[in-house]
Amino acid sequence: MANEAISDPLDGLEYEQAREELVATVQRLEAGGLTLEESLALWERGEALAAHCQAKLDGARTRLDAAVAAREAAAGGDAAN
């Protein structure tokens, strides 16, 4: 069932868990010895994991930018008083 790996929900995976699984997936693909169907399923899972990791990083960047902007706004507000 190649599609089972793809349908596993990624929402519950933390960034570090997804990254570790992605590394393991790449290693399995690089090792070879898989059928075409297995390789495709792993590649699709890897793509999903990579997108999940990127989304987590993008979310972290957004939170960081918001925190910096809030700090700068607070510092600017303090200077005005």
Side-chain angles (χ1 to χ4, degrees), residues 38-60:
E38 290 168 331
S39 294
L40 286 172
L42 279 175
W43 180 79
E44 289 171 337
R45 179 66 175 182
E47 287 290 321
L49 288 163
H52 181 74
C53 287
Q54 188 61 54
K56 291 282 189 182
L57 291 172
D58 291 345

Side-chain angles (χ1 to χ4, degrees), residues 20-68:
E20 286 177 19
E21 185 180 339
L22 178 57
V23 168
T25 299
V26 169
Q27 289 172 342
R28 286 184 63 197
L29 284 167
E30 289 176 343
L34 302 169
T35 66
L36 177 60
E37 193 61 34
E38 290 168 331
S39 294
L40 286 172
L42 279 175
W43 180 79
E44 289 171 337
R45 179 66 175 182
E47 287 290 321
L49 288 163
H52 181 74
C53 287
Q54 188 61 54
K56 291 282 189 182
L57 291 172
D58 291 345
R61 170 54 67 188
T62 299
R63 288 176 60 191
L64 180 61
D65 290 346
V68 168

